[in-house]
Amino acid sequence: MSSEEHQLLRSSVREFAQKNLEGISAKIERDGLRPETVAAMAAQGFLGASVPGELGGTGLDERGYMIVLEELARVSPSAAVKILIINSLYAPLAMATRKGKETLEEVASAKVNATVAHTCLLEGYREEKGVTFADSHVKGVKEYVVNSDAGLVILTANGTPGTLLLVRGGVEPVNDQTRLGFRGLRFSSVRVDSGDFEVLGENGAGMLEETLDGMDLEVAAIALGITAGAVAKAIDYSKGRTTFEHPLKDYQPVAFSLSSLKSEEEMLRTYIYSEGLSGTAKVMARVKSTQLARSATKQALQVHGGYGYFGDFGVEKFYRDAMALPLLFSRGVKDMQRLSQAVFESKAGFM
Amino acid sequence: VAEMDFELPEDLKEIRRKAREFALKEITPEFAQKYDREETFPEELRKKAYASGLVDYSNPWSVLILQEEFCRVDAGTGICAVSGFFGLETIQLFGTEEQKAKYLPMVTSGKAMMGLAVTEPSAGSDVAGIKTTATKSGDYYTLNGAKMFITNGQLADFLVTLTRTSPQTQKRHHGLSLFILETGSEGVTRNKLHEKLGVRATNTAEIVLNDVKVPARNLIGEEGKGFYYVMTFFDISRIYTAIQAVGIAQGALDRVLDYVFSQGVENLKEETAMAIGEMEMRIEAARLLTYSAASRLFQFNPDPKLTSSAKAFGSETAVWVTERAMEITGLQGLTGDLERFFRDAKIMEIWEGTSEVEKLTIARTMFREMMKEFLGEKGGAKA
């Protein structure tokens, strides 16, 4: 795609988000992403944004896909994360087999929801029984699955690293978890009891790890969207809100902190969309963007005062999501080790 | 030689032990989670807390320790259990004997609840910017306006309410007056506000006042001095907020330690160990700062500089510690108590004076003190 095409894509995603998500963003937090909203995202080609065209996706290039994630996250991070799970986790893993590839068209068109039980790689994961399979049947429970009301689930079975399976049908979300972030998506365990499954590969944990580490820029794009959404709201608010007979923006601590966050946002945007980023540069983008999202959302909420603490103003969800994003889709210590290894050009920070 | 003693006396240690025991027994994780999810007020918990004899307004230190220990277990329901008195000191310090006799016993016994209605839709930190008016005619005042984010708002039997009784002049903080407003009065509408980020068990409401008649005998202190009374009250309530924040931070650290031990402390890396060390360091500093501010206050010699420091530092500590706690515990924190602690902590930086306001108060108090000293040295009149 040319940079004009990227520009055009950006304005059309922004328009879509304004029209279809902004008005219901509080409702998404309350009741979850409704099927009609997901269908609308599918109709725009967002749901299968980076899935190759010949497999039923939109076939956007990396930058185009990041633009979709960023622009949706500006309004509803939950919507962006749904697309992340399908395009950056599910699709690359499903593509390991022919049968897996064949599922992508119905996933991209929202006929069936799909997810990956990837959180076994994360800090604090605890598994009760796990999932086992033999011959023709797979059975068990996977904990902490995001976007768990899915008909297609990729998971590891038979221990660690386990075998990676794509399970179809016989999957049911159970035991919903409290959700700090991404309340538009179901977050629960899944109970699996199915005879319809496909082996995607051995060394399941390794495959999951590679996939999760391979989505640095996508996570950075969502973090940047969260930052942009929160900072824009705070800037708007501080123009309109008056305290001690002056607009908030006239006060140095407000103006300077928001201007500074806006600068960081712009610099990161230039950085993450620049061409030919090395692997190291991508980890750096992930780490800095998720950190920025956290500090930016905190300050954006603070600028809103009491109003920021309530759902109506749409800023507290950014604060929650900015914390949940790295906890669910980054590997804190492991990411820092990847970064350190690149910086020191040898293993570092491992002791 | 007088010793500085940083130990709590034995009776307060005993109160702390009992408060913790009560909180752990009554506020289970499931209980806290339920009220957080449903955004409802735990009335039965409040009743139990009063019935236990733990809530003792005659002993301000015990109220302080109680709040610390309750918030350490859960801030949302913990605050509900002991905040039925919110605003009480305005009557205690500035009210008439008749007001004290009529309103205080029902609140201190837990039979009734009260609240303080200062904040308005367009005036938060800027207290003097309030627009609610009280107009006198004969032996009553007529109140009109709207109050926002009022804690206990929907449940309170009466609200100590700040109004403007004479038009705004150059001195914006003049002309404000405090009234005891009975919420059953005609013309009072209360709307519960939903979807708070945290402390979701607490009741928060918008109060609309439409030609509400309040007897003149319900005026607290003198007409026109309301701003001063409210600021005096903030010197008290900020200490409560500071200790609530310390409780939240301590509760988060408790849970981090549980997690670390469950993972095998021998596997602990320096990165995490140092974060835990820093949590402990900040929490103890916040606690001592709060006790020090409280000690001044309880001896009727509050130091606004110390109070605001305790409030700002305590709340920033709560936010900082809960953030680190989430990072360390990952999925466990995300799906357990800690995510609630993280959400609850943020309000501490906002209510009872934002961190920004506290820091300005600290600086301005210092400037005033310097000015006094300067004038004193010059042999000038006392400011």
Side-chain angles (χ1 to χ4, degrees), chain B residues 142-260:
Chain B
T142 305
L143 272 56
N144 278 292
K147 294 290 174 183
M148 197 61 169
F149 307 137
I150 305 308
T151 299
N152 297 340
Q154 201 191 25
L155 307 172
D157 298 273
F158 58 93
L159 293 168
V160 170
T161 305
L162 187 69
T163 65
R164 183 161 279 292
T165 37
S166 45
Q168 194 178 309
T169 59
Q170 282 300 94
K171 301 223 170 202
R172 298 171 73 232
H173 53 281
H174 288 188
L176 301 175
S177 305
L178 266 188
F179 291 93
I180 300 171
L181 164 74
E182 296 194 6
T183 50
S185 309
E186 203 176 319
V188 179
T189 313
R190 300 188 279 177
N191 307 309
K192 180 176 171 174
L193 300 172
H194 296 272
E195 293 179 358
K196 287 201 292 280
L197 173 62
V199 291
R200 286 161 63 95
T202 64
N203 181 275
T204 313
E206 177 195 27
I207 317 285
V208 181
L209 306 173
N210 189 7
D211 285 334
V212 182
K213 289 193 169 55
V214 174
R217 63 173 186 279
N218 282 21
L219 172 71
I220 296 179
E222 291 173 44
E223 193 180 297
K225 290 207 171 162
F227 182 85
Y228 163 72
Y229 300 152
V230 166
M231 288 301 140
T232 306
F233 173 74
F234 281 157
D235 267 338
I236 302 166
S237 64
R238 279 169 185 172
I239 286 173
Y240 291 144
T241 306
I243 205 66
Q244 289 164 4
V246 168
I248 291 175
Q250 183 65 56
L253 177 54
D254 293 343
R255 283 157 179 81
V256 167
L257 291 174
D258 285 348
Y259 176 76
V260 164

Side-chain angles (χ1 to χ4, degrees), chain A residues 179-307:
Chain A
R179 289 168 301 175
L180 173 66
F182 312 123
R183 291 187 178 160
L185 306 177
R186 194 98 178 248
F187 180 37
S188 70
S189 305
V190 290
R191 184 186 293 134
V192 184
D193 190 351
S194 175
D196 187 356
F197 67 93
E198 161 105 338
V199 173
L200 294 175
E202 300 305 327
N203 187 14
M207 288 173 78
L208 286 180
E209 209 170 276
E210 203 183 313
T211 312
L212 199 61
D213 289 352
M215 58 190 221
D216 288 328
L217 286 182
E218 291 92 322
V219 171
I222 293 179
L224 191 64
I226 291 174
T227 301
V231 169
K233 271 193 187 297
I235 289 174
D236 255 15
Y237 184 79
S238 60
K239 286 178 188 165
R241 174 77 179 187
T242 299
T243 190
F244 299 99
E245 299 178 312
H246 294 277
L248 276 181
K249 72 167 181 64
D250 290 2
Y251 294 92
Q252 287 181 355
V254 174
F256 295 177
S257 67
L258 292 178
S259 304
S260 163
L261 288 167
K262 184 74 193 166
S263 322
E264 288 183 67
E265 177 200 322
E266 292 288 351
M267 284 189 277
L268 264 175
R269 185 171 292 110
T270 306
Y271 182 80
I272 71 170
Y273 287 102
S274 52
E275 266 174 87
L277 286 181
S278 67
T280 308
K282 289 178 183 179
V283 198
M284 289 174 171
R286 180 202 283 255
V287 169
K288 293 315 275 183
S289 304
T290 46
Q291 284 171 353
L292 176 63
R294 287 184 37 196
S295 53
T297 53
K298 181 153 82 167
Q299 180 61 12
L301 194 159
Q302 186 69 17
V303 165
H304 280 76
Y307 288 103

Side-chain angles (χ1 to χ4, degrees), chain A residues 34 74 81 100 105 127 147 177 182 205 210 222 245 271 281 299 305 332 348 351:
Chain A
R34 307 280 306 159
R74 271 178 100 112
V81 163
E105 182 162 12
E127 192 166 274
N147 194 30
Q177 295 285 357
F182 312 123
E210 203 183 313
I222 293 179
E245 299 178 312
Y271 182 80
Q299 180 61 12
M351 199 175 71

Side-chain angles (χ1 to χ4, degrees), chain A residues 26 30 119-120 122-126 144 177-181 183 187 241-245 253 294 298-299 301-302 305-312 316 319-320 323-324 327-328 350-351, chain B residues 33 121-126 148-149 168 172 193-199 204 259 269-270 319 323-324 326-332 334-335 339 342-344 346-347 349-350 354-356:
Chain A
R30 251 193 322 268
T119 54
C120 51
L122 305 178
E123 179 67 42
Y125 183 79
R126 257 186 228 155
Y144 314 111
Q177 295 285 357
T178 44
R179 289 168 301 175
L180 173 66
R183 291 187 178 160
F187 180 37
R241 174 77 179 187
T242 299
T243 190
F244 299 99
E245 299 178 312
R294 287 184 37 196
K298 181 153 82 167
Q299 180 61 12
L301 194 159
Q302 186 69 17
Y307 288 103
Y309 208 65
F310 285 82
D312 297 350
E316 59 87 44
Y319 183 64
R320 290 186 283 104
M323 175 56 90
L327 292 184
L328 286 171
F350 59 91
M351 199 175 71
Chain B
Q33 223 172 70
S122 62
S125 297
D126 182 10
M148 197 61 169
F149 307 137
Q168 194 178 309
R172 298 171 73 232
L193 300 172
H194 296 272
E195 293 179 358
K196 287 201 292 280
L197 173 62
V199 291
T204 313
Y259 176 76
K269 303 284 188 195
E270 288 77 11
V319 170
E323 286 177 329
R324 295 291 92 72
M326 293 298 287
E327 290 165 8
I328 293 170
T329 59
L331 286 170
Q332 290 307 310
L334 202 61
T335 55
E339 68 87 29
F342 169 71
R343 289 185 284 110
D344 292 345
K346 191 75 191 81
I347 194 60
E349 293 185 333
I350 299 170
T354 61
S355 287
E356 290 81 356

